[in-house]
Amino acid sequence: MALLETRNLRKSFGENAVCRGIDLRIETGQMVCLIGASGSGKSTLLRCLNLLEPIDDGVILLDGDDISVPGLDPQPVRQRIGMVFQSFNLFPHMSAVENVMLAPRRVHNRSREELTGEVTALFQRFGLGDRMEHYPEQLSGGQQQRVAIVRALAMKPQIMLFDEITSALDPELVGEVLDVLRQLRGEGMTMVLATHEMGFARELADKVCFLDGGVILEEGPPEQLFSTPREDRTRAFLSRVL
């Protein structure tokens, strides 16, 4: 059984059909990279997986349970499926450590004292041990994005979704964020990434999915998809970005 699966997922905004019947399987421990042009449906798909957008048709299964049924409380699902966005979304009036502790304290009713050890370990793990008391404006873009990843991990999710998390960064800061993803990959975290970082996808993904016009037009291991794509549209896209 897949850890996370969509079947015929459809989502429109008014007359604009963004996801047109997406079938996707994510196994435990996999890194799945979503590639495709802007507007192909990658970000909307991630937002549907995290229940930030209600779907119009189809199902989303988490551990075999349908999490897309109308009226379902999304909060328990979002505790299991963490998400990190392009924009860091850190509260500017809170220090980095306060940003990270906020959700565990509010959602799980945990005290600052019991969180301190594990949150400190997370900061140290990702090279931020000396930045815990800094405010967002005192951090570089790469540091802010790493804090956002630590914040999501503090909820101990089963799956992490990443939506173009390097696209807002200066080029010299991209590497430090990708290093965090490499570390998570090595630790066996299940991850789904919408990304323009083709070299990274080729190096580390278990599966790459090319989205075009709201469907997964082609998917496969990175070596196959990047080296011998089957579809003309995939070849045309890769010829522009590689």
Short mmCIF file of all heavy atoms in Angstrom, two decimals, residues 22-86:
data_model
loop_
_atom_site.label_atom_id
_atom_site.label_comp_id
_atom_site.label_asym_id
_atom_site.label_seq_id
_atom_site.Cartn_x
_atom_site.Cartn_y
_atom_site.Cartn_z
N ILE A 22 -5.23 13.52 -11.76
CA ILE A 22 -3.86 13.13 -11.42
C ILE A 22 -3.86 11.85 -10.58
O ILE A 22 -4.53 11.76 -9.55
CB ILE A 22 -3.14 14.26 -10.66
CG1 ILE A 22 -2.92 15.45 -11.62
CG2 ILE A 22 -1.81 13.78 -10.09
CD1 ILE A 22 -2.24 16.64 -10.98
N ASP A 23 -3.11 10.87 -11.06
CA ASP A 23 -2.87 9.62 -10.33
C ASP A 23 -1.42 9.61 -9.89
O ASP A 23 -0.51 9.67 -10.73
CB ASP A 23 -3.15 8.40 -11.22
CG ASP A 23 -4.60 8.32 -11.66
OD1 ASP A 23 -5.49 8.51 -10.82
OD2 ASP A 23 -4.83 8.07 -12.86
N LEU A 24 -1.19 9.53 -8.59
CA LEU A 24 0.16 9.60 -8.05
C LEU A 24 0.27 8.66 -6.86
O LEU A 24 -0.61 8.62 -6.00
CB LEU A 24 0.47 11.04 -7.61
CG LEU A 24 1.81 11.30 -6.91
CD1 LEU A 24 2.97 11.05 -7.87
CD2 LEU A 24 1.86 12.73 -6.37
N ARG A 25 1.37 7.89 -6.83
CA ARG A 25 1.65 7.00 -5.70
C ARG A 25 3.00 7.38 -5.09
O ARG A 25 3.98 7.53 -5.80
CB ARG A 25 1.72 5.53 -6.15
CG ARG A 25 0.38 4.90 -6.47
CD ARG A 25 0.58 3.48 -6.97
NE ARG A 25 1.24 2.64 -5.98
CZ ARG A 25 0.60 1.92 -5.05
NH1 ARG A 25 -0.73 1.97 -4.98
NH2 ARG A 25 1.28 1.17 -4.20
N ILE A 26 3.00 7.53 -3.77
CA ILE A 26 4.23 7.84 -3.04
C ILE A 26 4.42 6.76 -1.98
O ILE A 26 3.58 6.60 -1.09
CB ILE A 26 4.15 9.23 -2.39
CG1 ILE A 26 3.97 10.32 -3.46
CG2 ILE A 26 5.38 9.51 -1.56
CD1 ILE A 26 2.89 11.29 -3.17
N GLU A 27 5.52 6.03 -2.10
CA GLU A 27 5.80 4.96 -1.15
C GLU A 27 6.60 5.52 0.03
O GLU A 27 7.27 6.54 -0.08
CB GLU A 27 6.60 3.85 -1.83
CG GLU A 27 6.03 3.34 -3.15
CD GLU A 27 4.74 2.55 -2.98
OE1 GLU A 27 4.48 2.10 -1.84
OE2 GLU A 27 4.02 2.38 -3.97
N THR A 28 6.53 4.82 1.14
CA THR A 28 7.28 5.22 2.33
C THR A 28 8.77 5.32 2.02
O THR A 28 9.35 4.41 1.42
CB THR A 28 7.05 4.21 3.47
OG1 THR A 28 5.66 4.16 3.78
CG2 THR A 28 7.83 4.60 4.71
N GLY A 29 9.37 6.45 2.39
CA GLY A 29 10.80 6.64 2.20
C GLY A 29 11.19 7.17 0.83
O GLY A 29 12.37 7.45 0.60
N GLN A 30 10.24 7.32 -0.08
CA GLN A 30 10.56 7.82 -1.41
C GLN A 30 10.74 9.33 -1.44
O GLN A 30 10.09 10.06 -0.68
CB GLN A 30 9.44 7.48 -2.40
CG GLN A 30 9.55 6.14 -3.08
CD GLN A 30 8.57 6.01 -4.24
OE1 GLN A 30 7.46 6.57 -4.22
NE2 GLN A 30 8.96 5.27 -5.25
N MET A 31 11.60 9.80 -2.35
CA MET A 31 11.62 11.20 -2.73
C MET A 31 11.06 11.28 -4.15
O MET A 31 11.63 10.70 -5.08
CB MET A 31 13.04 11.78 -2.70
CG MET A 31 13.09 13.21 -3.25
SD MET A 31 14.77 13.87 -3.38
CE MET A 31 15.00 14.49 -1.71
N VAL A 32 9.96 11.98 -4.29
CA VAL A 32 9.30 12.14 -5.59
C VAL A 32 9.41 13.60 -5.98
O VAL A 32 9.02 14.50 -5.22
CB VAL A 32 7.81 11.71 -5.52
CG1 VAL A 32 7.12 11.97 -6.86
CG2 VAL A 32 7.71 10.24 -5.14
N CYS A 33 9.97 13.87 -7.16
CA CYS A 33 10.11 15.24 -7.66
C CYS A 33 9.08 15.50 -8.76
O CYS A 33 8.94 14.70 -9.69
CB CYS A 33 11.52 15.47 -8.19
SG CYS A 33 12.77 15.64 -6.90
N LEU A 34 8.36 16.61 -8.63
CA LEU A 34 7.40 17.06 -9.63
C LEU A 34 8.07 18.15 -10.46
O LEU A 34 8.51 19.16 -9.90
CB LEU A 34 6.14 17.61 -8.96
CG LEU A 34 5.48 16.76 -7.88
CD1 LEU A 34 4.29 17.50 -7.28
CD2 LEU A 34 5.05 15.40 -8.43
N ILE A 35 8.15 17.94 -11.77
CA ILE A 35 8.74 18.96 -12.64
C ILE A 35 7.71 19.35 -13.69
O ILE A 35 6.73 18.64 -13.92
CB ILE A 35 10.04 18.47 -13.29
CG1 ILE A 35 9.77 17.30 -14.25
CG2 ILE A 35 11.06 18.08 -12.23
CD1 ILE A 35 10.99 16.90 -15.09
N GLY A 36 7.94 20.48 -14.32
CA GLY A 36 7.02 20.96 -15.35
C GLY A 36 7.02 22.48 -15.36
O GLY A 36 7.50 23.13 -14.42
N ALA A 37 6.46 23.04 -16.42
CA ALA A 37 6.42 24.49 -16.56
C ALA A 37 5.52 25.12 -15.51
O ALA A 37 4.67 24.43 -14.91
CB ALA A 37 5.92 24.85 -17.96
N SER A 38 5.69 26.41 -15.27
CA SER A 38 4.77 27.13 -14.39
C SER A 38 3.35 26.99 -14.93
O SER A 38 3.12 27.08 -16.14
CB SER A 38 5.16 28.62 -14.34
OG SER A 38 6.44 28.76 -13.76
N GLY A 39 2.41 26.74 -14.01
CA GLY A 39 1.02 26.57 -14.42
C GLY A 39 0.64 25.14 -14.78
O GLY A 39 -0.50 24.88 -15.16
N SER A 40 1.60 24.21 -14.62
CA SER A 40 1.30 22.82 -14.98
C SER A 40 0.53 22.07 -13.90
O SER A 40 0.05 20.95 -14.13
CB SER A 40 2.60 22.07 -15.30
OG SER A 40 3.49 22.08 -14.20
N GLY A 41 0.42 22.67 -12.69
CA GLY A 41 -0.37 22.04 -11.63
C GLY A 41 0.41 21.55 -10.44
O GLY A 41 -0.17 21.00 -9.49
N LYS A 42 1.73 21.76 -10.43
CA LYS A 42 2.57 21.20 -9.36
C LYS A 42 2.18 21.76 -7.99
O LYS A 42 1.95 21.00 -7.04
CB LYS A 42 4.05 21.49 -9.63
CG LYS A 42 4.57 21.04 -10.97
CD LYS A 42 6.07 21.26 -11.12
CE LYS A 42 6.49 22.71 -11.00
NZ LYS A 42 5.97 23.58 -12.07
N SER A 43 2.14 23.08 -7.88
CA SER A 43 1.85 23.69 -6.57
C SER A 43 0.44 23.38 -6.11
O SER A 43 0.20 23.12 -4.92
CB SER A 43 2.06 25.20 -6.64
OG SER A 43 3.42 25.51 -6.85
N THR A 44 -0.50 23.41 -7.04
CA THR A 44 -1.89 23.10 -6.66
C THR A 44 -2.01 21.66 -6.18
O THR A 44 -2.71 21.38 -5.20
CB THR A 44 -2.83 23.35 -7.85
OG1 THR A 44 -2.78 24.73 -8.20
CG2 THR A 44 -4.27 22.97 -7.51
N LEU A 45 -1.32 20.75 -6.83
CA LEU A 45 -1.33 19.35 -6.38
C LEU A 45 -0.82 19.24 -4.95
O LEU A 45 -1.44 18.57 -4.11
CB LEU A 45 -0.48 18.50 -7.33
CG LEU A 45 -0.24 17.04 -6.90
CD1 LEU A 45 -1.56 16.30 -6.72
CD2 LEU A 45 0.65 16.33 -7.92
N LEU A 46 0.29 19.90 -4.63
CA LEU A 46 0.82 19.85 -3.27
C LEU A 46 -0.17 20.44 -2.28
O LEU A 46 -0.37 19.89 -1.18
CB LEU A 46 2.14 20.60 -3.19
CG LEU A 46 3.34 19.98 -3.91
CD1 LEU A 46 4.59 20.85 -3.71
CD2 LEU A 46 3.60 18.56 -3.45
N ARG A 47 -0.81 21.54 -2.64
CA ARG A 47 -1.78 22.17 -1.74
C ARG A 47 -2.99 21.26 -1.52
O ARG A 47 -3.57 21.24 -0.43
CB ARG A 47 -2.20 23.53 -2.28
CG ARG A 47 -1.09 24.57 -2.22
CD ARG A 47 -1.50 25.89 -2.84
NE ARG A 47 -2.59 26.52 -2.08
CZ ARG A 47 -2.41 27.27 -1.00
NH1 ARG A 47 -1.20 27.49 -0.53
NH2 ARG A 47 -3.45 27.81 -0.38
N CYS A 48 -3.36 20.50 -2.53
CA CYS A 48 -4.45 19.53 -2.36
C CYS A 48 -4.03 18.40 -1.43
O CYS A 48 -4.81 17.96 -0.58
CB CYS A 48 -4.87 18.97 -3.71
SG CYS A 48 -5.76 20.13 -4.79
N LEU A 49 -2.79 17.93 -1.57
CA LEU A 49 -2.30 16.84 -0.71
C LEU A 49 -2.31 17.24 0.75
O LEU A 49 -2.54 16.41 1.64
CB LEU A 49 -0.89 16.42 -1.13
CG LEU A 49 -0.74 15.77 -2.50
CD1 LEU A 49 0.74 15.49 -2.79
CD2 LEU A 49 -1.54 14.48 -2.59
N ASN A 50 -2.04 18.52 1.02
CA ASN A 50 -2.00 19.03 2.39
C ASN A 50 -3.37 19.53 2.86
O ASN A 50 -3.50 20.05 3.96
CB ASN A 50 -0.97 20.17 2.46
CG ASN A 50 -0.61 20.57 3.87
OD1 ASN A 50 -0.85 21.70 4.27
ND2 ASN A 50 -0.04 19.65 4.64
N LEU A 51 -4.38 19.37 2.02
CA LEU A 51 -5.77 19.79 2.30
C LEU A 51 -5.90 21.31 2.44
O LEU A 51 -6.83 21.79 3.08
CB LEU A 51 -6.33 19.08 3.54
CG LEU A 51 -6.28 17.55 3.54
CD1 LEU A 51 -7.05 16.99 4.73
CD2 LEU A 51 -6.78 16.95 2.25
N LEU A 52 -4.96 22.04 1.84
CA LEU A 52 -5.12 23.50 1.80
C LEU A 52 -6.11 23.91 0.72
O LEU A 52 -6.66 25.01 0.77
CB LEU A 52 -3.76 24.17 1.54
CG LEU A 52 -2.77 24.09 2.69
CD1 LEU A 52 -1.39 24.53 2.24
CD2 LEU A 52 -3.24 24.93 3.87
N GLU A 53 -6.32 23.02 -0.26
CA GLU A 53 -7.33 23.24 -1.29
C GLU A 53 -8.24 22.02 -1.33
O GLU A 53 -7.75 20.89 -1.41
CB GLU A 53 -6.68 23.42 -2.68
CG GLU A 53 -5.81 24.64 -2.82
CD GLU A 53 -6.60 25.93 -2.89
OE1 GLU A 53 -7.85 25.86 -2.95
OE2 GLU A 53 -5.98 27.00 -2.87
N PRO A 54 -9.57 22.21 -1.27
CA PRO A 54 -10.47 21.08 -1.43
C PRO A 54 -10.47 20.62 -2.89
O PRO A 54 -10.40 21.44 -3.81
CB PRO A 54 -11.84 21.65 -1.04
CG PRO A 54 -11.73 23.11 -1.34
CD PRO A 54 -10.29 23.49 -1.08
N ILE A 55 -10.51 19.32 -3.10
CA ILE A 55 -10.52 18.82 -4.48
C ILE A 55 -11.96 18.76 -5.00
O ILE A 55 -12.91 18.72 -4.22
CB ILE A 55 -9.83 17.45 -4.59
CG1 ILE A 55 -10.59 16.37 -3.80
CG2 ILE A 55 -8.39 17.54 -4.10
CD1 ILE A 55 -10.02 14.97 -4.00
N ASP A 56 -12.10 18.78 -6.31
CA ASP A 56 -13.42 18.73 -6.94
C ASP A 56 -13.86 17.30 -7.20
O ASP A 56 -15.06 17.01 -7.23
CB ASP A 56 -13.40 19.51 -8.27
CG ASP A 56 -13.06 20.97 -8.07
OD1 ASP A 56 -13.45 21.53 -7.02
OD2 ASP A 56 -12.41 21.56 -8.95
N ASP A 57 -12.90 16.41 -7.43
CA ASP A 57 -13.23 15.02 -7.74
C ASP A 57 -12.01 14.17 -7.47
O ASP A 57 -10.88 14.67 -7.36
CB ASP A 57 -13.67 14.88 -9.20
CG ASP A 57 -14.46 13.59 -9.45
OD1 ASP A 57 -14.73 12.86 -8.46
OD2 ASP A 57 -14.78 13.31 -10.61
N GLY A 58 -12.22 12.87 -7.36
CA GLY A 58 -11.13 11.94 -7.08
C GLY A 58 -10.97 11.73 -5.58
O GLY A 58 -11.80 12.18 -4.78
N VAL A 59 -9.90 11.03 -5.21
CA VAL A 59 -9.64 10.74 -3.79
C VAL A 59 -8.16 10.95 -3.49
O VAL A 59 -7.30 10.86 -4.38
CB VAL A 59 -10.04 9.30 -3.39
CG1 VAL A 59 -11.53 9.09 -3.50
CG2 VAL A 59 -9.27 8.28 -4.21
N ILE A 60 -7.89 11.25 -2.23
CA ILE A 60 -6.53 11.28 -1.69
C ILE A 60 -6.49 10.29 -0.55
O ILE A 60 -7.30 10.38 0.39
CB ILE A 60 -6.14 12.68 -1.18
CG1 ILE A 60 -6.32 13.73 -2.27
CG2 ILE A 60 -4.69 12.68 -0.68
CD1 ILE A 60 -6.16 15.16 -1.76
N LEU A 61 -5.59 9.33 -0.62
CA LEU A 61 -5.49 8.28 0.39
C LEU A 61 -4.19 8.44 1.16
O LEU A 61 -3.11 8.55 0.57
CB LEU A 61 -5.54 6.90 -0.26
CG LEU A 61 -6.76 6.58 -1.12
CD1 LEU A 61 -6.59 5.23 -1.83
CD2 LEU A 61 -8.03 6.56 -0.26
N LEU A 62 -4.29 8.46 2.48
CA LEU A 62 -3.13 8.48 3.37
C LEU A 62 -3.17 7.20 4.19
O LEU A 62 -4.11 6.98 4.97
CB LEU A 62 -3.18 9.71 4.28
CG LEU A 62 -2.06 9.85 5.32
CD1 LEU A 62 -0.70 9.92 4.65
CD2 LEU A 62 -2.29 11.06 6.21
N ASP A 63 -2.17 6.35 3.99
CA ASP A 63 -2.17 5.03 4.64
C ASP A 63 -3.47 4.27 4.36
O ASP A 63 -3.99 3.56 5.22
CB ASP A 63 -1.97 5.16 6.15
CG ASP A 63 -0.53 5.03 6.56
OD1 ASP A 63 0.26 4.47 5.78
OD2 ASP A 63 -0.18 5.51 7.66
N GLY A 64 -4.01 4.47 3.16
CA GLY A 64 -5.22 3.77 2.76
C GLY A 64 -6.52 4.43 3.17
O GLY A 64 -7.60 3.99 2.75
N ASP A 65 -6.45 5.47 3.99
CA ASP A 65 -7.66 6.17 4.44
C ASP A 65 -7.94 7.38 3.55
O ASP A 65 -7.02 8.15 3.23
CB ASP A 65 -7.51 6.65 5.89
CG ASP A 65 -7.37 5.49 6.87
OD1 ASP A 65 -7.99 4.44 6.63
OD2 ASP A 65 -6.61 5.64 7.86
N ASP A 66 -9.18 7.56 3.16
CA ASP A 66 -9.57 8.68 2.31
C ASP A 66 -9.58 9.95 3.16
O ASP A 66 -10.40 10.11 4.05
CB ASP A 66 -10.96 8.42 1.72
CG ASP A 66 -11.37 9.50 0.72
OD1 ASP A 66 -10.63 10.48 0.53
OD2 ASP A 66 -12.46 9.35 0.12
N ILE A 67 -8.64 10.87 2.85
CA ILE A 67 -8.56 12.11 3.61
C ILE A 67 -9.21 13.27 2.86
O ILE A 67 -9.13 14.43 3.31
CB ILE A 67 -7.10 12.47 3.96
CG1 ILE A 67 -6.25 12.65 2.70
CG2 ILE A 67 -6.51 11.42 4.89
CD1 ILE A 67 -4.86 13.21 2.95
N SER A 68 -9.83 12.96 1.71
CA SER A 68 -10.43 14.02 0.90
C SER A 68 -11.94 14.11 1.06
O SER A 68 -12.59 14.84 0.32
CB SER A 68 -10.08 13.81 -0.58
OG SER A 68 -10.45 12.50 -1.02
N VAL A 69 -12.50 13.36 2.02
CA VAL A 69 -13.95 13.39 2.20
C VAL A 69 -14.38 14.76 2.71
O VAL A 69 -13.71 15.34 3.57
CB VAL A 69 -14.43 12.28 3.16
CG1 VAL A 69 -14.21 10.92 2.54
CG2 VAL A 69 -13.70 12.36 4.50
N PRO A 70 -15.47 15.31 2.19
CA PRO A 70 -15.92 16.63 2.64
C PRO A 70 -16.20 16.64 4.15
O PRO A 70 -16.73 15.67 4.71
CB PRO A 70 -17.22 16.85 1.84
CG PRO A 70 -17.08 15.97 0.64
CD PRO A 70 -16.32 14.77 1.11
N GLY A 71 -15.81 17.72 4.79
CA GLY A 71 -16.08 17.87 6.22
C GLY A 71 -15.02 17.29 7.13
O GLY A 71 -15.10 17.46 8.35
N LEU A 72 -14.01 16.63 6.56
CA LEU A 72 -12.94 16.07 7.39
C LEU A 72 -12.13 17.18 8.03
O LEU A 72 -11.78 18.16 7.38
CB LEU A 72 -12.04 15.19 6.53
CG LEU A 72 -10.92 14.45 7.26
CD1 LEU A 72 -11.44 13.18 7.91
CD2 LEU A 72 -9.78 14.11 6.29
N ASP A 73 -11.82 17.04 9.32
CA ASP A 73 -10.96 18.01 10.00
C ASP A 73 -9.55 17.91 9.42
O ASP A 73 -8.91 16.87 9.55
CB ASP A 73 -10.95 17.72 11.50
CG ASP A 73 -10.08 18.70 12.29
OD1 ASP A 73 -9.54 19.65 11.68
OD2 ASP A 73 -9.94 18.51 13.51
N PRO A 74 -9.04 18.99 8.80
CA PRO A 74 -7.73 18.87 8.16
C PRO A 74 -6.55 18.89 9.12
O PRO A 74 -5.45 18.48 8.75
CB PRO A 74 -7.68 20.10 7.25
CG PRO A 74 -8.55 21.11 7.95
CD PRO A 74 -9.64 20.32 8.60
N GLN A 75 -6.75 19.36 10.36
CA GLN A 75 -5.60 19.56 11.24
C GLN A 75 -4.84 18.28 11.56
O GLN A 75 -3.61 18.27 11.50
CB GLN A 75 -6.06 20.26 12.52
CG GLN A 75 -6.43 21.72 12.33
CD GLN A 75 -5.35 22.51 11.59
OE1 GLN A 75 -5.53 22.99 10.50
NE2 GLN A 75 -4.21 22.64 12.19
N PRO A 76 -5.51 17.16 11.89
CA PRO A 76 -4.73 15.94 12.13
C PRO A 76 -3.96 15.48 10.91
O PRO A 76 -2.85 14.95 11.03
CB PRO A 76 -5.82 14.91 12.51
CG PRO A 76 -6.96 15.73 13.02
CD PRO A 76 -6.95 16.97 12.20
N VAL A 77 -4.52 15.72 9.71
CA VAL A 77 -3.81 15.34 8.48
C VAL A 77 -2.58 16.21 8.30
O VAL A 77 -1.49 15.72 7.96
CB VAL A 77 -4.76 15.47 7.27
CG1 VAL A 77 -3.98 15.25 5.97
CG2 VAL A 77 -5.91 14.48 7.38
N ARG A 78 -2.71 17.51 8.56
CA ARG A 78 -1.58 18.42 8.36
C ARG A 78 -0.47 18.18 9.38
O ARG A 78 0.68 18.55 9.15
CB ARG A 78 -2.06 19.87 8.43
CG ARG A 78 -2.90 20.26 7.23
CD ARG A 78 -3.32 21.70 7.27
NE ARG A 78 -4.35 21.98 6.29
CZ ARG A 78 -5.36 22.80 6.47
NH1 ARG A 78 -5.48 23.47 7.62
NH2 ARG A 78 -6.26 23.00 5.52
N GLN A 79 -0.81 17.56 10.50
CA GLN A 79 0.24 17.18 11.44
C GLN A 79 1.07 16.02 10.89
O GLN A 79 2.24 15.88 11.23
CB GLN A 79 -0.39 16.78 12.78
CG GLN A 79 -1.03 17.94 13.53
CD GLN A 79 -1.82 17.48 14.73
OE1 GLN A 79 -1.44 16.54 15.42
NE2 GLN A 79 -2.94 18.13 15.00
N ARG A 80 0.46 15.22 10.02
CA ARG A 80 1.16 14.07 9.43
C ARG A 80 1.82 14.42 8.10
O ARG A 80 2.74 13.72 7.67
CB ARG A 80 0.17 12.92 9.23
CG ARG A 80 -0.43 12.41 10.52
CD ARG A 80 -1.56 11.42 10.27
NE ARG A 80 -1.09 10.20 9.65
CZ ARG A 80 -1.90 9.23 9.21
NH1 ARG A 80 -3.21 9.37 9.32
NH2 ARG A 80 -1.40 8.15 8.64
N ILE A 81 1.32 15.47 7.43
CA ILE A 81 1.86 15.89 6.14
C ILE A 81 2.34 17.33 6.28
O ILE A 81 1.56 18.27 6.19
CB ILE A 81 0.80 15.78 5.02
CG1 ILE A 81 0.22 14.36 4.94
CG2 ILE A 81 1.43 16.17 3.67
CD1 ILE A 81 -0.88 14.21 3.90
N GLY A 82 3.63 17.50 6.51
CA GLY A 82 4.19 18.84 6.66
C GLY A 82 4.41 19.49 5.30
O GLY A 82 4.59 18.80 4.29
N MET A 83 4.41 20.82 5.26
CA MET A 83 4.59 21.53 4.00
C MET A 83 5.45 22.76 4.20
O MET A 83 5.28 23.49 5.17
CB MET A 83 3.24 21.91 3.39
CG MET A 83 3.35 22.49 1.99
SD MET A 83 1.78 22.41 1.10
CE MET A 83 2.26 23.17 -0.46
N VAL A 84 6.36 22.98 3.25
CA VAL A 84 7.22 24.15 3.25
C VAL A 84 7.03 24.86 1.91
O VAL A 84 7.03 24.22 0.86
CB VAL A 84 8.71 23.78 3.44
CG1 VAL A 84 9.58 25.03 3.49
CG2 VAL A 84 8.89 22.96 4.73
N PHE A 85 6.88 26.18 1.97
CA PHE A 85 6.50 26.96 0.80
C PHE A 85 7.69 27.75 0.25
O PHE A 85 8.74 27.84 0.86
CB PHE A 85 5.37 27.93 1.17
CG PHE A 85 4.14 27.26 1.70
CD1 PHE A 85 4.02 26.98 3.05
CD2 PHE A 85 3.11 26.91 0.85
CE1 PHE A 85 2.88 26.34 3.55
CE2 PHE A 85 1.97 26.28 1.34
CZ PHE A 85 1.87 26.01 2.69
N GLN A 86 7.46 28.39 -0.93
CA GLN A 86 8.48 29.27 -1.51
C GLN A 86 8.82 30.39 -0.54
O GLN A 86 9.99 30.67 -0.27
CB GLN A 86 7.94 29.91 -2.79
CG GLN A 86 7.68 28.97 -3.94
CD GLN A 86 7.14 29.72 -5.14
OE1 GLN A 86 7.55 30.84 -5.41
NE2 GLN A 86 6.21 29.12 -5.85
#
